[in-house]
Amino acid sequence: MIGTGASAAPASKPNIVLIVADDLGYSDLGCYGSEIATPNLDSLANGGLRFTQFYNTARCWPTRAALMTGYYPQQVRMDPQQRGRKLPDWTRTLPKYLKPAGYRSYHSGKWHVTAAPRQVQDAGFDHSYALEDQNRFFDPKSHTEDDRHLPPVKREDGYYATTAITDYALKYLKGHAEEHGSVPFFLYLAYTSPHFPLQAPAADIERYKTKYLEGWEIIRQRRYEKMRSLNLVNSPLSKPEPEIKAPSGAPDTLMKLGPAETLYAVPWDSLTPQQKEFQATKMAIHAAMIDRMDQEVGRVLAQLKAMNAAENTLILLLSDNGASAEILVRGDGHDHTAPMGSAASYLCLGPGWATACNTPFRRHKIWVHEGGISTPLIAHWPAGISARNELRTNTGHVVDILPTILDATGVHPDLQWNNATAPPFPGKSLVPAFSTDGSVTHESLYFRHENNSGLRMENWKIVRDSPDKPWELYDLSKDRSESTNLAGADPDRVRDMATEWKKLDEQFVKDAEDSAPATTQGK
């Protein structure tokens, strides 16, 4: 029987815990400006670092592919246009880098790296619980442990995804402490919260039931003011974009959801009383999902302390993309007579609240404007980071996470793998930034998802939401809200940056096809 899993001889190499939230907005944590209760994650920030300019890829699976491989998704066949194929021969996943250094690796939660579909056999984890059903928090029909399918969950079983993901993580940590306590571990804790459908335990929802009746403009302004007081942002609050329609799938989506739903971030005062109550309840469920995730992270932190691993564990927390404006109905459909947030309901956050959750930025998940790609990044490592409650303005991207972990663990891999030569990592280790802000530089940060494209070079960014539209240009040193388009005033810079974006785009796609890719990469 597995007990508390106390380890008498903690490993000298750092343990790694990588926590990924799903569709968490930039301002959704208390330590990043939110009113949502996140005391455990806030405590990690208070005892470590918060990065203010960290980026993801704007979507679930491309970000997860970058985290697990260290490459842009276009390099490893995980761009939407490339899905359905295996990873290139030269690609390794993070557990395969760590195993020769003596690490055991564990995964619990979402996977979504479809080019390496089996977490144990393909990705190299020692144990894995994979929640494959993204449409049901209370009764998933598809989930696996160690690559073997588990029975579907019944609604009466008392299952909730965020808690179950934590239960499996604790099972693996306790087993590690009892059976492998002398070696370090890597835990990939991939929550599915607060991704749609908006579903949470009723008691968690109740705590936020009336909090959001003030409306999304007031909540957004309050978050912005808190973020300014915390020195998280220095740009103006972006203007709402009520003309941007929520990605909504089937044309009958609104018919399924009823008259209280809206596909646009309209002014709150223009809503009917019924719509206001409906929309406020949706945000209450979103908050409850984040609150519950924080509670579950607290259980993991308690286990690390119980196994004497808390001091020498590097914990990284981030989101796979910005908050989602999508409004869809999938899974078992939406029962409008069921309590909102229950297993029989299927609701999404929508553009009004997504705009608030991505404060102060523009746009949402899928777009590569700042709202779609900006994520919190908390780094906590008592034995390795001396700073406490400090900010890092150093830019970074999810392609930096794997090099950071390899650097922290002392792993220096050869580029040869499977009789092929891998390209150099496009990212950089963030370890130097743990001690000195601004010490890690990138020549460029590249973005492409569906029709959206972007490139950041120093404080300049070009971005567009369609290949048929001209590039926009922003000076992010003072305008991360992307409010003042400078493309007309500086066409030479736009041209040069667009040329660099095209060069990288062509090279990354070529990397995915080559068995021995070229060795020149943009950093």
Side-chain angles (χ1 to χ4, degrees), residues 369-388:
H369 289 74
E370 293 290 284
I373 56 176
S374 297
T375 174
L377 174 64
I378 297 173
H380 179 91
W381 182 13
I385 299 175
S386 59
R388 299 290 182 266

Side-chain angles (χ1 to χ4, degrees), residues 32 148 158 170 188 220 222 242 244 297 299 354 412 446 453-454:
Y32 275 84
R148 295 186 293 272
L170 295 181
Y188 178 32
R220 187 173 186 243
R222 191 174 294 144
I244 299 295
V297 168
R299 294 173 62 204
H412 305 287
Y446 158 93
S453 309

Side-chain angles (χ1 to χ4, degrees), residues 7 9-13 15 102-104 106 176 179-185:
S7 172
S12 58
K13 292 184 178 181
N15 306 300
Y103 279 77
R104 289 181 62 83
Y106 309 104
H176 179 92
E179 300 174 15
H180 307 281
S182 63
V183 301
F185 65 83

Side-chain angles (χ1 to χ4, degrees), residues 101-122:
Y103 279 77
R104 289 181 62 83
S105 295
Y106 309 104
H107 160 258
S108 186
K110 191 169 183 175
W111 180 240
H112 226 177
V113 185
T114 54
R118 296 168 297 184
Q119 297 77 36
V120 174
Q121 185 166 333
D122 297 328

Side-chain angles (χ1 to χ4, degrees), residues 352-431:
W353 287 118
T355 300
C357 294
N358 293 329
T359 301
F361 305 131
R362 286 179 63 196
R363 306 289 173 93
H364 322 283
K365 169 186 175 181
I366 300 174
W367 283 272
V368 302
H369 289 74
E370 293 290 284
I373 56 176
S374 297
T375 174
L377 174 64
I378 297 173
H380 179 91
W381 182 13
I385 299 175
S386 59
R388 299 290 182 266
N389 193 26
E390 291 188 6
L391 301 180
R392 292 292 182 265
T393 60
N394 214 122
T395 56
H397 188 283
V398 287
V399 294
D400 298 327
I401 294 296
L402 187 144
T404 299
I405 291 173
L406 296 187
D407 190 7
T409 56
V411 175
H412 305 287
D414 192 297
L415 293 178
Q416 298 295 318
W417 183 257
N418 283 340
N419 297 315
T421 303
F425 290 125
K428 300 280 191 71
S429 169
L430 299 173
V431 169

